Each structure stands twice: as structure tokens, then as C-alpha cells.
Amino acid sequence: TATVSGAGTVPLASGMNTLNIKVTAASGAVRVYTLSVYRTPSEGGGNVAAPTLSSTKYRIQDTIQGIAPDTAAEEFLKGFTLSDPSASLMVVDGQGVRVTGAVGTGCVLHVFKGDILFSVYPLLLRGDVNGDGALSVVDLLKIQQHLLHVRSLTDHWLHAADVSKDGAVSIVDLLKTQQHLLKVTVIEQ
């Protein structure tokens, strides 16, 4: 049984707030988790409306899909419309660094209004299991290693490996990726 220290109420300022949570395991090992909480500022006593993101080019669900391989960040961002002209978009990689090259699995689209982050959307490119925005023999190898239980895929990379979109990663996905690389078929994004 683990214990968490620091109970109670934490006041949140408008914008980003960083909270450190200390957890002590039964073994005595201590880990500190950082939690980032964004609080929407109030103007005139009311809440600021969150900007709405839409696209006729991409599918926006819990992830953004429909991205062609080798799509540059600048071109990707042109595929969206925001309900608020003062809002902005930025694509970051898994470490939070702004992406200027190709977007891929593991990148995240951020929706801002001013310096307030309102929404985040992970990107999912079917077949791109290494996150470089391209479909290559490296992705094929990673799917193969997953199937052989050498190195497991998790999170969005696991979903990216499911190129057949049947909810599981199987030999079918490996073969479809191989056929795509050989230009026999094209993986539908």
C-alpha cells in the first residue's frame, strides 16, 4: 500500500499551475509526480469560452487521424480552423518541444488562447510506430518485435501499429505494413 502526502485544498491561479505529489511505496521508495493543471481565467466574473477546433481534412476524435506520411508541421496546421481568431495552434513532440519537421505518432496538437492551453490532441499516423512521421522498415521491425514479445508497443504507438483498424495488432498488420513499404498497397490513414 502506498501513501500520498500533502492532503487538502490547493488554490489555483489562472493559467498553468504545477503541483508536486509525493508518493511513498510500502517498500519505502519515494516518487514525486508532477501534475500540471490549467485554470481558465475569468473575465468579468464569467468563464472564457474554449476555442473550438475543426477540420475538413483530418478526423478529430480522442486523437487526430487522417494524416498523410511525411506531412510537415506547417502544412498540417493549415488543415484546421479555430472558432476564435485570437486562438493559436502548436504541434509538440513527446518532450514538449515544438515540431517544425514532419508530424507523427506521439506528437501532440496544442490549442491556446493567449498563454492558456485549452486542449491537447495526440496525433495518430497508422503504421508510424516510431513517431518520425514516415512509414519505414523501422516501423515494420517494431511491429515484428511487438508480435514476437521482444519489445512491447504501448499507448498511441500500439494503436498506430493496428493498421488494419481491427482493434488488435497481429500478423495482418505486419503484412499490410510490408505491402505498403513494397508499394503493393497503401495504408489508409
Side-chain angles (χ1 to χ4, degrees):
T1 304
T3 60
V4 178
S5 63
T9 303
V10 177
L12 299 176
S14 292
M16 187 174 88
N17 294 267
T18 303
L19 308 172
N20 291 318
I21 300 170
K22 183 178 172 183
V23 178
T24 306
S27 66
V30 176
R31 267 206 159 149
V32 177
Y33 295 90
T34 302
L35 179 66
S36 296
V37 179
Y38 296 90
R39 179 176 180 202
T40 305
S42 296
E43 291 178 5
N47 289 330
V48 174
T52 304
L53 180 69
S54 61
S55 177
T56 57
K57 188 170 185 175
Y58 304 111
R59 291 184 310 284
I60 304 170
Q61 299 164 342
D62 57 333
T63 59
I64 295 180
Q65 299 182 38
I67 307 163
D70 302 310
T71 300
E74 183 179 345
E75 191 61 33
F76 172 72
L77 292 173
K78 291 177 185 176
F80 296 96
T81 305
L82 288 163
S83 61
D84 185 335
S86 67
S88 62
L89 299 172
M90 180 173 52
V91 181
V92 298
D93 64 16
Q95 285 73 47
V97 176
R98 183 181 211 136
V99 174
T100 56
V103 298
T105 301
C107 290
V108 180
L109 178 65
H110 287 190
V111 180
F112 289 94
K113 184 172 179 182
D115 62 347
I116 307 300
L117 177 64
F118 275 89
S119 306
V120 294
Y121 297 92
L123 278 52
L124 179 63
L125 178 60
R126 299 282 176 179
D128 176 31
V129 295
N130 71 342
D132 66 357
L135 278 67
S136 69
V137 70
V138 174
D139 301 300
L140 184 70
L141 177 64
K142 286 184 173 277
I143 294 170
Q144 183 180 38
Q145 289 174 333
H146 176 79
L147 292 173
L148 294 172
H149 304 288
V150 173
R151 190 170 290 141
S152 294
L153 296 170
T154 60
D155 302 320
H156 298 296
W157 296 274
L158 181 62
H159 295 291
D162 180 18
V163 297
S164 64
K165 302 179 187 177
D166 65 358
V169 178
S170 69
I171 190 71
V172 172
D173 301 298
L174 184 69
L175 291 174
K176 283 183 177 262
T177 303
Q178 183 181 39
Q179 289 173 338
H180 177 90
L181 295 173
L182 294 171
K183 299 185 187 321
V184 174
T185 61
V186 175
I187 293 174
E188 182 183 320
Q189 294 299 326

